[in-house]
Amino acid sequence: MPRKNTRNTKGRIISAAWKLFYEQGYEDTTVEDIVFESETSKGSFYHYFDSKDALLGTLAYVFDEKYEQLIEVMDPELDAMEKLIYLNHELFAMIDGGVSMDLLARLLSTQLLARGEKHLLDRNRTYFKLLRQIITEGQKTGQLRTDRTVNEILRAYAMWERALMYDWCLAGGEYSLVAYTDSVTPMFLESYRGKSSDAK
């Protein structure tokens, strides 16, 4: 039971922080604002985070919360390709509507400079577990090619998504991230389609 409360406290701090970062900007959000919004305490904040900057690495946690919600509502009748396209669309729609380009750029830069743990690459994330499950099932049913391992397809897909986010930041957010990914991700995934899927 204490572990659940601990997770909830940390999760509330992270959720409150990203809500405030989006609404009033990273620079204008203080630790006091985050503590107030999350209904926690300064002691709790500093128990989990050294500083406000440490919260930048938690965007992966926010993404994973989104994936946990999507698992509940995703149509189980979708095939593997459709599930991957659906998840890609929903994640990028969330970024377009709730994560500023500046914050995403900060996250990517912290991950590039990090010498130790890189949150985006943590294979224990819900993101990687869900993708691995979809790709494994897709290969078993012949929807995805089997001359590539699950890990090879998983790595390529995750790399593709990071590349799209990086390019969007590099371009200064001058185009709609979700509209662009909707047009190019199906073409990217087509190269991983299995032979039985072609026959449909």
Side-chain angles (χ1 to χ4, degrees):
M1 190 66 75
R3 176 177 281 185
K4 187 177 179 187
N5 291 337
T6 297
R7 188 179 172 207
N8 285 347
T9 301
K10 185 178 181 182
R12 273 164 42 207
I13 292 169
I14 292 169
S15 297
W18 284 96
K19 177 176 180 283
L20 292 169
F21 291 164
Y22 182 70
E23 289 176 355
Q24 57 194 45
Y26 178 79
E27 299 297 345
D28 292 331
T29 298
T30 64
V31 170
E32 288 76 13
D33 292 337
I34 296 167
V35 167
F36 180 80
E37 180 71 27
S38 62
E39 297 180 344
T40 56
S41 65
K42 260 195 173 181
S44 293
F45 180 92
Y46 286 111
H47 175 72
Y48 297 110
F49 305 104
D50 295 336
S51 64
K52 184 177 74 168
D53 287 350
L55 280 158
L56 286 171
T58 64
L59 186 55
Y61 180 100
V62 176
F63 288 168
D64 279 355
E65 279 198 329
K66 178 67 174 177
Y67 279 110
E68 283 166 16
Q69 293 167 13
L70 292 174
I71 291 169
E72 300 296 321
V73 298
M74 184 167 60
D75 182 355
E77 296 301 312
L78 296 176
D79 67 24
M81 297 280 277
E82 290 166 339
K83 284 179 180 176
L84 293 174
I85 290 168
Y86 169 79
L87 292 173
N88 174 264
H89 169 86
E90 291 297 324
L91 174 69
F92 282 26
M94 184 192 90
I95 293 171
D96 246 0
V99 180
S100 73
M101 187 273 302
D102 177 58
L103 282 173
L104 190 58
R106 282 177 188 265
L107 167 73
L108 294 172
S109 65
T110 61
Q111 295 292 277
L112 287 170
L113 297 171
R115 293 181 184 276
E117 183 183 1
K118 294 182 187 286
H119 305 286
L120 286 179
L121 300 179
D122 180 0
R123 292 297 167 133
N124 291 315
R125 289 181 51 205
T126 300
Y127 172 72
F128 287 109
K129 290 176 181 176
L130 178 58
L131 292 180
R132 188 172 287 110
Q133 180 186 336
I134 292 169
I135 293 165
T136 301
E137 288 172 1
Q139 285 190 329
K140 282 179 182 172
T141 55
Q143 296 163 3
L144 296 175
R145 58 194 291 179
T146 54
D147 61 338
R148 294 286 184 270
T149 68
V150 170
N151 281 337
E152 284 174 333
I153 298 175
L154 173 58
R155 185 178 179 192
Y157 179 87
M159 195 186 305
W160 170 256
E161 291 204 320
R162 290 196 304 273
L164 288 170
M165 288 190 281
Y166 179 80
D167 186 72
W168 185 63
C169 292
L170 208 58
E174 66 182 20
Y175 56 86
S176 166
L177 181 59
V178 71
Y180 186 67
T181 194
D182 283 352
S183 69
V184 296
T185 294
M187 290 188 288
F188 164 75
L189 285 173
E190 199 58 39
S191 63
Y192 291 98
R193 187 180 290 280
K195 287 180 180 174
S196 77
S197 200
D198 289 336
K200 283 203 303 185

